[in-house]
Amino acid sequence: MSIRKVIERLLFLVVVIWTASTITFFIPRISKRNPIRERFGQLARTGGFSPDELEIIIESYSQKFGLDKPLWEQYADYIGGIARLDLGVSLYQYPKTVLELIQEAIPWTLGLLVVSTILSFIIGNSLGAVAAWPRAPRWLRSIATPFILFMGVPPVLLAVFLLFFVAFRLKALPLGGAYSIGVIPDQSLEFYLDVLRHQLLPALALIFGTVGGWVLSMRGMGVTIQGEDYVLFAEHKGLSGFTIFRDYYLRNALLPQVTGFALALGNMVTSGIVIEQLFGLPGIGTVLYNAIKANDYLVIYGVVLFITIAIATLMVMVELLYPLIDPRIRE
Amino acid sequence: MEPVLRINNLQVTYYTDAGRARALDGVSLTLNAGEKLGLVGESGSGKSTMALAMMHMIKPPGRIEEGQVIVGDTDLTTLTKEEMLKARLEKITYIPQGAMNSLNPVMRIGAQMVDAIKAHYKSPSKAEMAEMSMDSLESVDLDRSVFKMYPHELSGGMKQRVCIAIGILLKPQVIIADEPTSALDVVTQRQVMETIDRVQETLGAAIILIGHDMGLMAQFVDKVAVMYTGRLMELSTVREMFTNPQHPYAQALISSLPSLDNKGVFQGIPGLAPALLRLPSGCAFHPRCQHTTEICTTMLPRLEQMEGGRMVACHLYTEQV
């Protein structure tokens, strides 16, 4: 792929981010709700300011957040802020910045969602590839079948089942939380194992809920590929079954699956937000959930923008990596 | 001259839910080094089954029931699975109809040649394998740089040449070419056939050319075998086949070739080729034959040698003998 193409893609990414941030900027302005007024109104009801004081406070805070400026100036500030990675300040956890909140949450989300998506991709595609390979042993080919059954069940429902049976009834794994209560996070192996135990159920729910899709699509691809002339000709060349499986069959069947992987990461975010909430994990999903509950606008917009940027970046990355696995689109 | 290929009474059956289909029924052939045989017949007559059976690539529900495929002095049907893998490309090779799809789109041509060499020889050096591959590419009139290219960077004719280059990589004694020129334009067809002709001569290999293109056959092969419902109907030299075919099916096949004399008139063979699951009794061709007699409906004609060494399976001639 030429440098030009890479630059083109990166410029496109910038445009996507700009569009997303513009939309996140204007939507709250359409609603006419004033987060500062709402916040201090709430405080006033519980704390008891006089209305005059309230107006003064709101005005000074509006000034502080730049809400008294004309719209275009606010917009310029906002875009400038994004360029400097400044997403603003949480209204409820003041003076924590939105970026800080995201930074704290991101390892948990990355750990769970990305690892689950990758595992699901590997398991599903291996099973699907083997299921479609006529020379694989029968028992190996049939392993894939039960996973297809889980395909229709949303990960959230699976999570509830797992929570009830494995954690609540059998007490085999913890019911929730990122790590055991009372444990202080450090770099010890013990701590990591504890974290792993807590991540197991949510990960299982996400993996089981998505593996069937990979199995089905890969098996479909596999059936098509094994009928291709080049697979037959590979056999005529006297290659071993394993070489044909790896270089001729799997390599080609995987191509469309890689595109699917980028899309799956996007879908995973949707499932992940609810799953994180269900298991009480302090990830991005939980940050977003709490922000919505508390009307913490800047955090909501920050997280939404962050997710948009993350997915758009992943897509561009897959697009840039794709020529490495398929020479036909290198030009 | 010592024959390089002897096929004795080769039988292939497909076991289907609807019954047993005998796709190849007692085919016997002998080919000398340097000889070119054309294998013709309608679709489903067993041409490709024969190629697959010779490569030992009949897959379930198909099975080679009996018969031998002897290349040099090795009977391929007695080889183990591993030995047969080695025999492919080394003793007997198959050149597919490769213009469109026979090369792996995500591997360089070189890699697709090197993996074939690796499967046959113990640890040759990278340089040796590359050298062998590039020599092979050169021998089919391709540039050595093709080694580093991907299939999508080649034209149809070049891809077909690459398939030939892979086929002759390990200098086999027998080459099966399955419609190597279909999907190519006529100019390229000619070039490809000339290439096959030349590499065959250099190797001194016997070649079996499978195809429908009678014009191509007439120009290229020495002998023609006509197949029908998995059996050999006639086997004779190309000149005899085109000027004086003996078997009524061969006659019908030759006369259905279009010619300039009766332009616009198409002669076909009445009826359709029978399904292998419901073969007519006796000679399988008798329902479509103009010369059917009593015996044709009851008794299977054997492939008999006639004067001049040609072989025909028809009661018309056995009765006279």
Side-chain angles (χ1 to χ4, degrees), chain B residues 126-242:
Chain B
K126 263 196 176 143
E128 271 177 289
M129 291 194 289
E131 192 56 33
M132 260 179 93
S133 310
M134 287 193 247
D135 285 347
S136 192
L137 287 172
E138 242 172 14
S139 72
V140 296
D141 292 332
L142 284 171
D143 197 80
R144 291 172 86 86
S145 63
V146 169
F147 186 79
K148 285 215 163 67
M149 290 168 97
Y150 283 101
H152 71 274
E153 297 170 303
L154 306 176
S155 70
M158 287 167 91
K159 280 191 235 179
Q160 185 61 60
R161 277 160 200 278
V162 169
C163 288
I164 298 170
I166 293 175
I168 59 163
L169 201 50
L170 305 181
K171 308 193 168 27
Q173 292 160 280
V174 177
I175 299 170
I176 307 168
D178 194 354
E179 299 189 45
T181 58
S182 59
L184 298 179
D185 66 83
V186 279
V187 179
T188 317
Q189 277 190 17
R190 180 191 170 80
Q191 292 168 346
V192 165
M193 287 320 292
E194 279 171 357
T195 306
I196 293 182
D197 200 33
R198 208 187 49 248
V199 296
Q200 181 221 8
E201 222 157 274
T202 330
L203 292 177
I207 193 162
I208 296 181
L209 180 70
I210 299 175
H212 300 282
D213 189 337
M214 296 297 256
L216 193 83
M217 292 285 173
Q219 284 188 19
F220 184 73
V221 299
D222 308 317
K223 292 201 282 189
V224 180
V226 176
M227 290 191 76
Y228 189 75
T229 61
R231 305 185 124 258
L232 277 187
M233 290 289 161
E234 177 164 354
L235 175 65
S236 59
T237 63
V238 68
R239 179 159 294 279
E240 285 173 321
M241 181 64 79
F242 278 91

Side-chain angles (χ1 to χ4, degrees), chain A residues 6-301:
Chain A
V6 175
I7 293 171
E8 243 176 63
R9 289 288 144 223
L10 291 179
L11 280 180
F12 178 70
L13 180 62
V14 171
V15 172
V16 167
I17 293 171
W18 172 72
T19 312
S21 25
T22 305
I23 293 171
T24 38
F25 174 81
F26 281 107
I27 283 180
R29 266 74 185 178
I30 293 168
S31 81
K32 301 247 192 267
R33 289 170 73 177
N34 182 339
I36 293 173
R37 182 174 293 277
E38 276 181 34
R39 176 69 175 135
F40 282 105
Q42 245 173 13
L43 284 179
R45 279 195 293 283
T46 49
F49 304 117
S50 76
D52 293 347
E53 276 175 333
L54 185 63
E55 284 309 318
I56 296 167
I57 293 173
I58 289 174
E59 203 168 305
S60 83
Y61 268 86
S62 293
Q63 220 160 22
K64 194 172 160 62
F65 283 95
L67 293 177
D68 57 339
K69 293 184 199 166
L71 200 61
W72 67 267
E73 215 170 304
Q74 285 184 38
Y75 178 67
D77 284 351
Y78 174 79
I79 294 291
I82 288 168
R84 293 191 309 273
L85 286 180
D86 178 8
L87 296 175
V89 187
S90 165
L91 292 172
Y92 275 64
Q93 299 181 45
Y94 188 81
K96 247 188 185 168
T97 64
V98 175
L99 202 64
E100 275 169 354
L101 284 174
I102 291 174
Q103 270 170 351
E104 279 165 26
I106 203 70
W108 298 104
T109 301
L110 275 187
L112 181 62
L113 295 192
V114 175
V115 171
S116 306
T117 313
I118 291 174
L119 281 180
S120 171
F121 181 82
I122 294 173
I123 297 171
N125 282 299
S126 318
L127 289 176
V130 168
W133 188 243
R135 278 185 279 174
R138 193 172 276 261
W139 64 268
L140 199 60
R141 299 178 58 185
S142 59
I143 292 180
T145 318
F147 285 96
I148 301 174
L149 283 180
F150 286 112
M151 212 182 80
V153 188
V156 178
L157 203 58
L158 278 175
V160 174
F161 269 102
L162 284 174
L163 266 180
F164 183 75
F165 287 106
V166 182
F168 182 67
R169 277 289 178 77
L170 295 174
K171 299 194 182 351
L173 287 166
L175 270 165
Y179 39 82
S180 300
I181 297 160
V183 171
I184 298 154
D186 53 16
Q187 301 295 320
S188 69
L189 180 68
E190 224 169 300
F191 174 68
Y192 281 118
L193 284 177
D194 188 48
V195 168
L196 196 66
R197 258 165 52 81
H198 284 77
Q199 298 278 346
L200 214 52
L201 278 190
L204 277 181
L206 285 172
I207 292 172
F208 270 85
T210 50
V211 121
W214 292 121
V215 170
L216 266 193
S217 55
M218 186 60 178
R219 199 180 59 176
M221 261 329 279
V223 169
T224 315
I225 297 290
Q226 57 169 281
E228 292 286 349
D229 290 342
Y230 51 77
V231 174
L232 197 71
F233 188 41
E235 239 176 289
H236 277 295
K237 290 199 289 186
L239 299 185
S240 70
F242 179 70
T243 311
I244 300 176
F245 181 83
R246 190 191 54 196
D247 295 347
Y248 289 75
Y249 167 77
L250 193 60
R251 195 56 220 291
N252 281 289
L254 267 180
L255 292 180
Q257 301 298 89
V258 172
T259 315
F261 180 74
L263 299 173
L265 274 173
N267 287 338
M268 222 31 146
V269 172
T270 331
S271 310
I273 287 171
V274 189
I275 296 265
E276 270 179 7
Q277 196 45 42
L278 207 56
F279 285 90
L281 299 171
I284 291 283
T286 303
V287 170
L288 184 60
Y289 176 81
N290 289 335
I292 292 171
K293 234 170 41 177
N295 280 335
D296 196 345
Y297 291 116
L298 288 178
V299 176
I300 299 176
Y301 302 130

Side-chain angles (χ1 to χ4, degrees), chain B residues 276-310:
Chain B
L276 288 175
L277 283 169
R278 288 184 306 276
L279 281 188
S281 60
C283 173
F285 187 60
H286 85 253
R288 301 168 79 184
C289 183
Q290 297 175 332
H291 312 281
T292 310
T293 56
E294 193 66 38
I295 187 167
C296 296
T297 61
T298 52
M299 213 174 94
L300 202 61
R302 288 160 52 86
L303 193 67
E304 303 278 1
Q305 187 141 6
M306 298 193 20
E307 52 189 310
R310 64 196 301 186

